[in-house]
Every structure is written in C-alpha cells, then in structure tokens.
Amino acid sequence: QVQLVEAGGGLVQAGGSLRLSCAASGSITSIDTMGWYRQAPGKQRELVATITDGGNTDYADSVKGRFAISRDSAKNTVYLQMNSLKPEDTAVYYCNARVRVVWWYESWGQGTQVTVSS
C-alpha cells in the first residue's frame, strides 16, 4: 500500500507564494515520475508540473516562469514552489507518482486546496 500525503495549501493574496509538498510512503521499491495536477471547480484536472527520477521537468504553459517543481528522492518527496500566484491558480492540487511496489502503478494524493484572492 502506497500513500501520498500533500501539505502546504492555503489562502494567499494575488502575487504571493506558497510551497506544496508531497511525501510518498509505504512499501515502495522505486518511484519514477512525480508531479502535480490541479482541478478548479467545473473544470477537468490538468497537469501543472512533472519531474522524472533523473530530474527532467515539464510545466504547463500557464505556470512556466512562476512555479518550480523539485524532489528529494531520499525522502520520496516532491515539492512545488508557487510564486506570483494569480486568482486563476485557485484549485485543488493533487500529487501524483508512478511507483513500484511489486509492479508499477499510478498513485494519487488526497488533494490540497489553494485559494488565491484578488
């Protein structure tokens, strides 16, 4: 059983910053790509950023230059530093990881709310 636990969401004014973290725990033998997705009310879940085990990153165009994803592989933890936040960044942010226990599968966190006020 694998658990992803997010932390760091909250309420912030436009232009502010937040840092999300997500720690994976359980009988993990390996983790490949980790990432963050978000879902705003009435919208589909969308990719925000991903990072491979080799450190290669990918970002949604809407967050490039403002958000930075990083990971601490020794701690099985991924971070999302969010700067210059905008009201349109308001959403529930979900952590995702491709993990291997016996075989590979996708694991999701429970989500953390980020609200940006104008």
Side-chain angles (χ1 to χ4, degrees):
Q1 193 79 5
V2 174
Q3 277 193 317
L4 300 183
V5 179
E6 299 114 332
L11 173 65
V12 65
Q13 287 189 331
S17 299
L18 282 174
R19 189 188 193 214
L20 306 182
S21 65
C22 171
S25 63
S27 302
I28 299 169
T29 58
S30 188
I31 302 179
D32 186 0
T33 299
M34 302 184 80
W36 291 94
Y37 292 72
R38 67 186 181 187
Q39 188 167 17
K43 295 188 176 181
Q44 288 189 330
R45 189 174 297 189
E46 64 176 3
L47 180 146
V48 176
T50 60
I51 183 167
T52 68
D53 56 352
N56 293 317
T57 59
D58 188 31
Y59 295 92
D61 287 342
S62 58
V63 307
K64 282 180 181 176
R66 300 188 298 121
F67 290 11
I69 190 170
S70 61
R71 68 191 281 175
D72 184 336
S73 294
K75 296 180 179 179
N76 288 341
T77 299
V78 63
Y79 305 95
L80 185 68
Q81 178 66 44
M82 304 185 293
N83 300 324
S84 301
L85 283 160
K86 305 175 181 180
E88 51 264 44
D89 294 318
T90 295
V92 177
Y93 283 70
Y94 296 91
C95 176
N96 171 273
R98 186 168 180 266
V99 302
R100 182 172 65 184
V101 175
V102 177
W103 52 83
W104 290 98
Y105 68 97
E106 300 283 331
S107 184
W108 290 89
Q110 80 285 356
T112 185
Q113 177 70 46
V114 171
T115 303
V116 184
S117 63
S118 57

